[in-house]
Amino acid sequence: MKYTLDTIPVLDAYKTGCECPLCKLRILCEDQYVDTMLASAYMEPEWRIKTNETGFCTRHFELMYNRRNRLGLALMTHTHMQQVIASLESILDGVQPEKKGLLASLRGGKADGAPAQIRARIDGCAICEQIDAALARYAYTIAQLYFTNSEFKAQFAASKGFCLPHLALLLELAEKTLSGAQAAEFRKAVAQLELQNLKRVEGELEFFTLKFDYRYADKPWGNSKDAPERAINKLMGACVGEEARLPPHND
Ligand SMILES: [Zn+2]
Ligand SMILES: [Zn+2]
């Protein structure tokens, strides 16, 4: 797979001083893709073929549901549902009568039976796919800028690291696209930055818990007031609190 640089959004995300610049970019992409899907993409035949086949995850159904274009969402859901029903007809048609007993289930348990096929049929998401492609491009850009832009390298060193899912993505892209020596140097720089920042957030979270002890009641909160949100987001990617909030919308 060939990746392209996408420098400006990455530099802008780093300027915000957030806990994970890739989460910042993820939220911006997500907001934009949800909007585009409901504004126009669902009317374009090429997109409609994609959404009919793939559908959406619960998060992206929910985000679209919360916007105003109920008709657009209903039309997309309707034609997707027609395709899912067609798939189910063949999946359920192939179902064998259930074998009873432990021995039979050990002998006859097929990993690709109807339950697995049903789960696989509703597993995809047209918006997640777009976000994943954009984030791979941004992670690639971070790894490249680190070696080509000294100003960025300084920003990177002063930044707060990444959430763990994006840490994995970044290391994966670096491994795939940098030379052996550069990948090793980058891994070392990322490891140092990440561990230092994980420990910082862990310390802030500990102080948050100590504030419930009367001996700490008069001590200032420092950076700890939103430590639970930031700790959860650092571990799992932005999902709670201010960092996970999408830009405000009228629709
Ligand atoms: Zn992240
Ligand atoms: Zn999704």
Side-chain angles (χ1 to χ4, degrees):
M1 186 172 174
K2 203 164 165 13
Y3 297 97
T4 49
L5 282 175
D6 212 343
T7 307
I8 307 291
V10 169
L11 295 179
D12 285 347
Y14 268 88
K15 279 185 203 137
T16 66
C18 56
E19 289 286 351
C20 175
L22 286 167
C23 279
K24 190 85 173 166
L25 289 160
R26 194 262 293 163
I27 296 216
L28 292 175
C29 286
E30 191 165 48
D31 185 54
Q32 187 196 325
Y33 297 154
V34 167
D35 258 359
T36 316
M37 195 59 82
L38 286 175
S40 57
Y42 78 94
M43 300 288 281
E44 292 166 18
E46 191 191 325
W47 267 109
R48 197 58 173 278
I49 290 168
K50 179 75 197 154
T51 62
N52 284 348
E53 178 56 28
T54 312
F56 302 97
C57 67
T58 50
R59 172 171 173 84
H60 291 133
F61 262 129
E62 187 187 358
L63 289 181
M64 287 192 291
Y65 177 80
N66 291 336
R67 305 264 161 113
R68 214 176 264 166
N69 188 356
R70 287 285 164 88
L71 176 61
L73 180 59
L75 288 168
M76 268 191 296
T77 307
H78 178 226
T79 46
H80 170 56
M81 194 171 192
Q82 286 177 319
Q83 262 183 245
V84 170
I85 290 172
S87 307
L88 270 240
E89 273 170 343
S90 72
I91 292 171
L92 295 175
D93 194 36
V95 173
Q96 302 292 320
E98 207 180 311
K99 295 193 175 91
K100 295 270 184 273
L102 180 63
L103 208 61
S105 71
L106 284 175
R107 276 191 199 132
K110 265 174 66 181
D112 56 352
Q117 287 180 50
I118 294 166
R119 289 187 189 110
R121 186 62 192 84
I122 53 168
D123 198 32
C125 171
I127 292 178
C128 279
E129 278 183 21
Q130 280 180 284
I131 293 173
D132 290 348
L135 284 182
R137 212 165 57 235
Y138 291 136
Y140 167 76
T141 303
I142 290 172
Q144 293 296 316
L145 286 180
Y146 184 83
F147 290 100
T148 54
N149 182 326
S150 54
E151 201 181 315
F152 175 76
K153 197 170 177 173
Q155 268 184 321
F156 178 93
S159 72
K160 295 175 177 163
F162 304 91
C163 70
L164 298 193
H166 289 143
L167 172 71
L169 175 70
L170 184 66
L171 291 174
E172 185 178 50
L173 263 292
E175 207 68 49
K176 271 190 201 162
T177 59
L178 295 173
S179 72
Q182 283 190 333
E185 183 186 334
F186 188 66
R187 195 165 52 237
K188 209 169 148 194
V190 171
Q192 192 190 4
L193 178 71
E194 185 68 19
L195 288 172
Q196 171 193 322
N197 279 287
L198 280 173
K199 287 172 190 168
R200 168 182 55 82
V201 176
E202 184 265 329
E204 289 164 350
L205 182 61
E206 184 183 29
F207 190 76
F208 179 95
T209 64
L210 290 173
K211 274 291 286 173
F212 289 78
D213 182 325
Y214 73 94
R215 286 169 296 179
Y216 287 81
D218 295 334
K219 294 220 160 79
W221 276 95
N223 288 329
S224 286
K225 233 173 189 163
D226 62 349
E229 294 95 296
R230 284 184 295 107
I232 292 166
N233 292 340
K234 204 78 178 163
L235 289 169
M236 302 307 292
C239 58
V240 292
E242 200 50 49
E243 289 174 321
R245 211 182 301 283
L246 266 72
H249 274 269
N250 304 321
D251 55 354

